[in-house]
Amino acid sequence: MKRGASHPRLLQDLPTSLDEEQVEELLRTPHLRIERIVSTGQASAEGDWYDQSENEWLVLLSGRARLRYEDEDGEIELGSGDAAFIPAHRKHRVTWTSPDEPTVWLALFWPQT
Amino acid sequence: MKRGASHPRLLQDLPTSLDEEQVEELLRTPHLRIERIVSTGQASAEGDWYDQSENEWLVLLSGRARLRYEDEDGEIELGSGDAAFIPAHRKHRVTWTSPDEPTVWLALFWPQT
């Protein structure tokens, strides 16, 4: 990520193969955390659900992924520019990310109020 | 933006020509506001500076733009995936956005603490 912390280039110099997802914190305040997450085919383990204490809002900057909610049938297909708001404690899984290109998530987290 | 408020598709059905920038609020909490802004060649008027009471963090989802700060020489070139943190009251201008394609900004705003 070039140009330092104030002007990161989030789609440059991406890894093409990772043992596990790469999480990089971009900004943190008492009420907001911004992360860039890079996936190269990773998905949640079968039967595992994220059950987060924080609210999350995410958007795909590149790549493709699929989300599933425990309380909803079917999957949400996400491509570049597709966003999702996931309230705290709404259980969800990442069922798939593209193995063919890096999938770059921009994820915002903030405390449940 | 399809699939309703919880899963907006921020790069679909973009306008190609606008009289002025299109601002759409995606989410609002007491500590965070998320907007999608679409530019089709707009820029700040000559000599106009944004002087915002809130902190801003932005990333380009598509298109190209140039930023300038009053306290810094030169311009910041932004393309897809390029981000910027603009602290409250750091004066800045958008000197250019691409006239050839929609430029889609994701902008976060939160109160100065």
Side-chain angles (χ1 to χ4, degrees):
Chain A
M1 292 193 272
K2 299 300 175 57
R3 279 200 65 86
S6 65
H7 293 92
R9 301 200 183 277
L10 306 180
L11 293 177
Q12 282 193 358
D13 304 320
L14 295 175
T16 52
S17 173
L18 294 163
D19 288 337
E20 49 188 54
E21 287 186 333
Q22 181 190 79
V23 179
E24 186 156 2
E25 186 174 295
L26 301 173
L27 187 140
R28 178 192 286 263
T29 78
H31 299 293
L32 174 64
R33 190 173 76 259
I34 306 177
E35 292 180 353
R36 184 188 76 167
I37 302 166
V38 181
S39 314
T40 57
Q42 287 81 11
S44 307
E46 189 65 40
D48 274 9
W49 296 92
Y50 288 107
D51 180 5
Q52 299 172 162
S53 60
E54 295 175 301
N55 294 303
E56 178 175 2
W57 190 95
L58 61 85
V59 60
L60 252 65
L61 299 181
S62 74
R64 289 180 303 138
R66 290 200 281 268
L67 273 185
R68 192 170 142 69
Y69 296 100
E70 193 187 39
D71 62 7
E72 188 176 303
D73 286 337
E75 293 184 312
I76 311 287
E77 300 262 356
L78 300 175
S80 186
D82 293 343
F85 171 55
I86 307 176
H89 297 297
R90 186 175 187 195
K91 292 185 186 177
H92 61 286
R93 307 176 56 224
V94 176
T95 53
W96 179 84
T97 61
S98 173
D100 302 324
E101 55 183 329
T103 294
V104 180
W105 312 73
L106 182 77
L108 322 177
F109 299 93
W110 65 95
Q112 196 177 13
T113 48
Chain B
M1 291 193 270
K2 299 299 173 56
R3 279 198 66 86
S6 65
H7 293 93
R9 300 200 183 275
L10 305 180
L11 293 177
Q12 282 193 358
D13 304 319
L14 295 176
T16 52
S17 173
L18 294 164
D19 288 337
E20 49 187 55
E21 286 187 331
Q22 181 191 78
V23 179
E24 185 157 1
E25 185 174 295
L26 302 173
L27 187 139
R28 179 190 285 261
T29 77
H31 299 292
L32 175 65
R33 189 172 78 258
I34 305 176
E35 292 180 353
R36 183 188 77 166
I37 302 165
V38 181
S39 313
T40 57
Q42 287 82 10
S44 308
E46 190 65 39
D48 273 9
W49 297 91
Y50 289 106
D51 181 3
Q52 301 172 160
S53 61
E54 294 175 302
N55 294 304
E56 178 174 3
W57 191 96
L58 62 84
V59 60
L60 252 66
L61 300 180
S62 74
R64 289 181 303 139
R66 289 200 281 268
L67 272 184
R68 193 169 143 69
Y69 296 100
E70 194 189 36
D71 61 7
E72 187 177 303
D73 284 337
E75 293 184 311
I76 312 286
E77 299 264 355
L78 300 175
S80 186
D82 293 343
F85 171 54
I86 307 176
H89 297 300
R90 185 174 187 195
K91 292 186 186 177
H92 62 284
R93 308 176 56 224
V94 176
T95 53
W96 180 84
T97 62
S98 173
D100 302 323
E101 57 184 326
T103 294
V104 180
W105 312 73
L106 181 78
L108 321 177
F109 300 92
W110 65 95
Q112 197 176 14
T113 48

